[in-house]
Amino acid sequence: MGLLEGELGSRAFADPVPEDVWFAFLRFGRRVFHVPDTPDADGLLFQYGTYAFDGPATFTLDLTRQFEVSDSDGDYDHYVQVHCELRYGLTPGLEALGSFHSWFFHDAGADLEEWAQVLTERAVWTTIRELRPIEIKVYQERV
């Protein structure tokens, strides 16, 4: 979590610019970590939608990195997810975007830069560009 916060910098928490947060997440996503040699052990998730997980409904852009954790025998134990969420008050434009998610896994043979470029072209960026997030939340959870 600290590495992602380092990529974001203190400015992101005081005055978050969505594209800057996205580029910081991608820098974090390019970092190589030691993970188990199993399929989908290190993945990036880009998702958005209207959710009410811990309070009133907000439009949330959630950038997540997921790592597989093995036990002492090398068997799957759990995943750790590091989230960076930009939350927005609801507007008709945000609600019209619906929900979306896309995964990237480092071991799947796809190109991270191509995945990121496709996502950068989504309409969500045009919609949120003019809006200020009401909250940016960075946290880690075991799943």
Side-chain angles (χ1 to χ4, degrees):
M1 188 168 85
L3 291 174
L4 177 54
E5 289 174 331
E7 290 292 348
L8 289 168
S10 59
R11 181 179 174 272
F13 293 94
D15 186 23
V17 175
E19 286 91 350
D20 292 347
V21 171
W22 172 234
F23 295 134
F25 177 75
L26 290 174
R27 286 191 302 274
F28 174 61
R30 289 182 192 103
R31 289 179 178 253
V32 177
F33 293 91
H34 177 71
V35 296
D37 188 20
T38 58
D40 304 341
D42 183 358
L44 305 175
L45 173 61
F46 174 96
Q47 65 182 342
Y48 60 78
T50 301
Y51 308 106
F53 294 128
D54 58 0
T58 60
F59 180 86
T60 303
L61 173 62
D62 181 10
L63 309 172
T64 301
R65 186 155 186 186
Q66 176 174 279
F67 302 99
E68 181 178 327
V69 177
S70 297
D71 63 18
S72 60
D73 295 326
D75 296 323
Y76 168 82
D77 188 59
H78 64 277
Y79 289 107
V80 170
Q81 292 184 338
V82 179
H83 295 264
C84 178
E85 294 180 351
L86 291 170
R87 295 181 179 187
Y88 295 84
L90 295 181
T91 68
L94 290 173
E95 290 184 285
L97 291 170
S99 62
F100 173 82
H101 74 274
S102 176
W103 279 97
F104 171 86
F105 291 98
H106 285 281
D107 66 345
D111 182 81
L112 176 60
E113 303 310 317
E114 290 176 13
W115 177 79
Q117 183 59 42
V118 168
L119 296 174
T120 301
E121 296 169 0
R122 293 197 61 84
V124 66
W125 297 108
T126 303
T127 305
I128 64 174
R129 186 170 289 124
E130 304 303 319
L131 302 173
R132 293 193 51 87
I134 56 174
E135 181 181 18
I136 181 170
K137 184 175 178 182
V138 177
Y139 63 97
Q140 179 176 308
E141 68 178 339
R142 179 180 171 151
V143 295

